[in-house]
Amino acid sequence: MITICVASGKGGAGKTSIAAALAAMARPTCVFADCDVDAANGAIALGAATTAREPYFAGPGFMINSEICTGCGLCEASCRFAAIRSEGDPPRFMIVSELCERCGACYERCPIKAVVTYEKTAGELFVSTTRLGIAIVHAELVPGEDTSGKLVRKVRERAQAIAGEHATIIVDAPPGIGCPVIASISGCDLIIVVVEASASGIRDAERLAKLIVSMGRRTIAIINKAGLNPDMDARARDMLKAMGIPLAGEMPFHPSLRSAEESGETWMTVDSVARHSVASALRAIQGLIDSIGDGSRVAAIEEEKP
Amino acid sequence: MSSSRPATIAVASGKGGTGKTTVAAHLALASSRSAKTLLVDLDVEAPDALGYFPSAARVGPPKEVMIAVPQLLKDRCTGCGLCAKSCRFGAILSIGGVVTIDERICKGCGSCVAACPAAALAEAEIFVGVVSVFENGDLRLLEGRTAIGDIRATAVVEAAKRRARELDCEVLIRDCPPGVACPATHAIEGSDYVILVAEPTDFSLHDLGAAVVLVQGQSIPVGVVVNKDGFGKANVAGFCARHGLPIVGRIAFLRSRAESGADARLWEDDAEIMGEMEMILERALNEVRKRMEA
């Protein structure tokens, strides 16, 4: 089993489109794990039909029972996240759920158990089949819920359970470099960094690259939306060179790629001048995947033969 | 508008790369021509707003964002394990009376320190990010930035929000992170109006739906700006009509705009865009005024 993660730092750099094209290339022995659990678009890109779903519970939330709260204020004093506020005189305390980190400090501190827990569904996990014939594991986090990193791990675990021994798992990471991105990258055999050829795209990809280097993961890059601004293309190449990350290829900014998606195609089968660049970048990545996969192990053993 | 409480407009989207930072930077620029304006970059994992203002000058030293994490005093620890039991983040392990603390996933809530009966946990501050202030002509900018590899983005978002409250301004524009999880929730919290930037793609509409749920869950009025209008075929207007969302502005897709936008160049001489920004701003401020009066 080989796990490949597509990440970018910046949002909208082309992660999902590139991950979908890779899946189209790697099928049939491939499982797609959409780890952008709060903005999941893999199922749209691959045309998914859900076959199984299960609820996701993140752990308890906290609220204050105003019927029994005496207004002592110990909860507010115990909260380090300024998530407890009071109104009126005598004060009535309440938890601002948007700011609550669910640490339970107020719950432990309240002398009369006026802070109570509640369970609620924090999201849903899906297994679906796609137009490509491969399976996709995806999830929808309930907007405003936290613990997206934990849901990412669940998506990856489910993808591993489905994937066979010789399968490739393609992980579509969320934007940013935080908790769900680290959960997406951890343990992957190869990280594909998508660098959008823009000032923001290069800066964010560089922060991501530093994270990946600190995690000791093997990395290769694709420059996306190339050709819009030659200065940016050059700066993207320079950044990758300075970071010591090899470049698989450059995908052009071309309307045909957008149109391909609108007609339910991946970039693998796009019919335009963009095709050559896309195919050549994806072939370079496939070559790398083959070299770290079973192929290289078999080749190494073959070489040992007298 | 009162100087003690600025009108706070958050720019968010759900999907990344739809143009949040572009819209936030141009709104801030338009606003700074008539009002004391602060642009706050709360996309702390990937902060890019400052990139639109290359001649911005730093005001004062960057402020480190620190959180207090527990340190084990081994000679006092009895190995009772109550600290591990109190931690809801799995940051403390107690196995056979041996306690280990993973400060990378500790949120600094202090529950373990309160739970320890032997006063065997001291606290030490660790660095999770920085908050910096800049000036660009009449516009002030504030940026939160996480340390690479740190997962406590919300601590940096909240530190940036606190710092913003210390700065005097009439209009505050927040550039929010993508998604609808905790960093976005914290970035939107406390704002008076939210602008959701959408592009005409199926991906964007799907994520816009989630962002609407997030914002409406916080009972904040919302308007949609259609960016890259004409770039794709997805029907943003139809989506907005079905969800009762007003479209408050449009930016047409032009290849020339994509070219200069790639370099984060401001379109300050583009009368069409700056006119659109003024209209969006006026509409947003009207909504804020109505809300403050209510």
Side-chain angles (χ1 to χ4, degrees), chain A residues 11-12 38-41 62 80 98-99 101 103 140 143-144 176-178 198-200 203-204 207 228-229 232 258 262, chain B residues 16-17 44-45 48 88 107-109 123 146 154 158 179-181 186 203 206-207 214 218 231-233 259 262-263:
Chain A
D38 49 321
N41 294 324
F62 297 89
R80 293 195 173 171
E98 290 85 5
L99 300 179
E101 296 278 0
C103 68
E140 299 270 352
I177 58 165
S198 70
S200 302
R203 201 180 304 118
D204 298 344
R207 269 166 73 75
L228 260 180
N229 186 320
M232 292 299 125
R258 175 95 294 276
E262 280 169 347
Chain B
V44 298
E45 293 175 34
D48 290 312
R88 290 177 188 260
K107 294 258 182 129
C109 72
E123 285 190 292
T146 53
T154 56
E158 289 304 325
V180 293
H186 280 255
F203 288 3
H206 171 267
D207 303 344
L214 176 66
Q218 297 193 19
F231 175 64
K233 288 183 187 151
E259 284 166 16
D263 199 3

Side-chain angles (χ1 to χ4, degrees), chain B residues 12-286:
Chain B
S13 70
K15 185 180 181 309
T18 59
K20 284 180 297 300
T21 307
T22 305
V23 169
H26 285 85
L27 277 179
L29 181 70
S31 171
S32 69
R33 290 175 177 173
S34 57
K36 210 170 198 181
T37 304
L38 176 67
L39 173 60
V40 182
D41 193 344
L42 295 179
D43 189 358
V44 298
E45 293 175 34
D48 290 312
L50 200 64
Y52 284 77
F53 304 93
S55 49
R58 197 179 271 282
V59 180
K63 199 166 178 247
E64 295 187 335
V65 182
M66 311 293 286
I67 66 162
V69 301
Q71 310 277 305
L72 187 69
L73 306 173
K74 282 205 177 89
D75 50 335
R76 289 195 186 171
C77 178
T78 62
C80 72
L82 285 175
C83 54
K85 219 175 137 201
S86 75
C87 179
R88 290 177 188 260
F89 307 109
I92 306 182
L93 277 180
S94 172
I95 300 167
V98 179
V99 170
T100 45
I101 299 169
D102 186 348
E103 52 179 51
R104 292 169 309 169
I105 53 175
C106 169
K107 294 258 182 129
C109 72
S111 289
C112 55
V113 180
C116 179
L121 291 169
E123 285 190 292
E125 297 218 305
I126 60 162
F127 170 74
V128 297
V130 287
V131 173
S132 310
V133 181
F134 301 85
E135 232 163 28
N136 187 82
D138 293 331
L139 177 66
R140 263 205 287 191
L141 301 107
L142 191 154
E143 181 201 80
R145 178 178 287 259
T146 53
I148 291 170
D150 202 283
I151 63 166
R152 286 154 291 211
T154 56
V156 183
V157 171
E158 289 304 325
K161 284 162 72 179
R162 277 197 302 278
R163 182 77 182 95
R165 285 197 279 271
E166 297 165 8
L167 301 172
D168 178 38
C169 67
E170 293 161 307
V171 177
L172 192 155
I173 312 273
R174 291 182 183 171
D175 185 15
C176 299
V180 293
C182 35
T185 306
H186 280 255
I188 289 167
E189 189 275 335
S191 58
D192 302 305
Y193 188 79
V194 177
I195 290 168
L196 294 175
V197 183
E199 59 183 30
T201 64
D202 290 337
F203 288 3
S204 175
L205 290 189
H206 171 267
D207 303 344
L208 177 64
V212 169
V213 173
L214 176 66
V215 177
Q216 291 181 341
Q218 297 193 19
S219 308
I220 305 170
V222 57
V224 173
V225 169
V226 186
N227 188 26
K228 309 182 202 175
D229 197 13
F231 175 64
K233 288 183 187 151
N235 185 356
V236 183
F239 180 93
C240 290
R242 278 198 304 283
H243 290 80
L245 303 166
I247 292 182
V248 297
R250 285 179 190 275
I251 300 172
F253 174 78
L254 298 175
R255 194 175 163 102
S256 59
R257 284 180 181 158
E259 284 166 16
S260 62
D263 199 3
R265 250 174 285 157
L266 286 168
W267 300 315
E268 50 194 317
D269 302 322
D270 187 328
E272 189 188 316
I273 286 194
M274 293 313 289
E276 197 72 10
M277 290 298 141
E278 275 161 29
M279 275 166 53
I280 296 168
L281 205 56
E282 194 184 321
R283 181 137 183 199
L285 291 175
N286 263 332

Side-chain angles (χ1 to χ4, degrees), chain A residues 18-66:
Chain A
I18 288 169
L22 276 169
M25 186 180 60
R27 70 180 166 169
T29 55
C30 165
V31 175
F32 195 100
D34 189 344
C35 289
D36 191 356
V37 296
D38 49 321
N41 294 324
I44 301 173
L46 298 175
T50 297
T51 55
R53 56 204 296 166
E54 63 186 58
Y56 162 67
F57 299 99
F62 297 89
M63 56 193 280
I64 294 172
N65 181 351
S66 56

